[in-house]
Amino acid sequence: MVKLKNSFQRKEKKYALTNKMYHQLRKKLQPYMEEDEYGLHTIISIYFDTQDYEMIRHSLGKPIYKEKFRIRSYGIPQEESTVFLEIKKKVSGVVYKRRVALSYQSAKRYIQKPHSFMSKTTKDQQIKQEIDWLVARKRLEPKVMIAYDRRALFDSDNEDFRITFDFNIRYREEQLSHTLDDQGESVAPEIDVLMEVKALGAYPIWFSEILAELNIYPASFSKYAQTYQRYLYSKGDFQYVI
């Protein structure tokens, strides 16, 4: 069983796959990895940004340091379902995530009033204070919902090496403060499957050999960045040159 960690760091690489490549890869991974207990599940995130999308515009410039803030749910939540306030930072290619768990009901209140709850542990309260400071300093507001259906694989001999496959990536701009569901329009119809490889160090040799055999190469793809560039940028009243 794979536990959801509230704080971790790792390297992440994306790969755009056709359906044919996906099925070929899954077959070759069978001796090494197994699917986690969640099976095919939906991940829903509400991304926050400034009024003029300052955070994602900064990210598109490929800086050494960048950060994102989102509320994330695994599945469509009910009022008492657990969701996460999550900061994702990337420093020189290494991804750091820190998050706090809370009920969906509390998360909706948080959108309206960030200081509306206290965390139960000292560590969680420290993370929440970091989130509160970012939200207040940047005056962040909910900008877009991004959802996708995921399958995740893990290596029982190496818990720091994981692979995820995301299908049907979709987005929505409306009804972000009161409803968290997975209804939206396609972000990248040309991509059948987005694979993400998560590792602390080098890939296992067997995995590198499989990638080479199937001619699978990394691709630059951020779900929020692609959504912004394709569907949100043209609606702004500001100018930005990539």
Side-chain angles (χ1 to χ4, degrees):
M1 178 178 293
V2 178
K3 293 180 65 178
L4 293 176
K5 299 178 181 179
N6 284 353
S7 182
F8 52 87
Q9 66 183 69
R10 65 193 179 198
K11 290 187 177 181
E12 300 177 347
K13 283 189 178 181
K14 310 279 182 58
Y15 301 79
L17 308 180
T18 63
N19 282 322
K20 181 179 179 180
M21 294 166 67
Y22 166 71
H23 290 294
Q24 290 176 330
L25 179 59
R26 284 298 305 267
K27 185 175 181 179
K28 290 186 176 296
L29 291 176
Q30 284 180 355
Y32 306 99
M33 306 187 77
E34 56 185 296
E35 191 167 319
D36 68 21
E37 71 273 20
Y38 301 106
L40 183 65
H41 59 287
T42 300
I43 296 178
I44 308 168
S45 299
I46 295 180
Y47 284 83
F48 285 62
D49 211 324
T50 64
Q51 186 177 14
D52 63 353
Y53 297 96
E54 175 191 335
M55 294 179 75
I56 192 59
R57 290 190 289 114
H58 174 73
S59 178
L60 287 169
K62 299 188 183 301
I64 295 176
Y65 173 84
K66 56 185 177 181
E67 59 188 350
K68 298 175 183 175
F69 171 61
R70 61 196 178 197
I71 292 178
R72 169 160 288 191
S73 173
Y74 295 85
I76 299 174
Q78 305 299 316
E79 289 297 299
E80 296 306 318
S81 298
T82 298
V83 300
F84 298 89
L85 305 180
E86 182 175 282
I87 289 181
K88 181 177 181 180
K89 302 179 180 181
K90 193 170 186 179
V91 184
S92 299
V94 178
V95 175
Y96 300 83
K97 287 186 183 179
R98 289 162 63 80
R99 60 187 180 186
V100 177
L102 71 167
S103 71
Y104 175 45
Q105 186 177 47
S106 297
K108 288 193 292 184
R109 287 200 300 269
Y110 183 86
I111 294 176
Q112 304 297 331
K113 188 178 180 182
H115 299 285
S116 58
F117 80 99
M118 294 286 291
S119 296
K120 295 180 180 179
T121 69
T122 300
K123 182 178 180 180
D124 280 353
Q125 184 59 24
Q126 290 174 341
I127 296 173
K128 182 181 177 294
Q129 288 174 348
E130 180 182 355
I131 292 171
D132 289 347
W133 181 79
L134 175 64
V135 171
R137 177 172 61 90
K138 295 282 191 178
R139 297 184 180 180
L140 301 183
E141 57 188 52
K143 302 300 286 187
V144 66
M145 182 282 301
I146 297 177
Y148 45 92
D149 305 315
R150 168 170 286 184
R151 292 190 183 276
L153 306 184
F154 69 97
D155 179 354
S156 57
D157 295 326
N158 181 3
E159 64 177 11
D160 294 321
F161 181 68
R162 297 181 65 242
I163 300 174
T164 60
F165 299 100
D166 296 337
F167 310 84
N168 188 23
I169 304 167
R170 48 210 187 267
Y171 81 101
R172 185 180 74 246
E173 296 178 74
E174 297 80 20
Q175 299 179 335
L176 302 180
S177 300
H178 304 290
T179 304
L180 190 57
D181 60 38
D182 64 344
Q183 300 302 305
E185 301 296 323
S186 178
V187 171
E190 75 280 5
I191 295 179
D192 293 327
V193 184
L194 183 68
M195 177 174 73
E196 189 167 343
V197 182
K198 310 162 195 293
L200 285 184
Y203 290 172
I205 294 176
W206 55 263
F207 183 65
S208 296
E209 290 176 344
I210 291 173
L211 293 181
E213 180 183 351
L214 296 179
N215 295 313
I216 295 175
Y217 304 102
S220 178
F221 189 97
S222 161
K223 298 180 182 73
Y224 181 28
Q226 287 290 320
T227 302
Y228 169 75
Q229 289 181 301
R230 296 182 187 215
Y231 308 107
L232 307 180
Y233 167 63
S234 62
K235 296 180 181 180
D237 295 325
F238 46 86
Q239 297 294 322
Y240 178 70
V241 178
I242 299 175

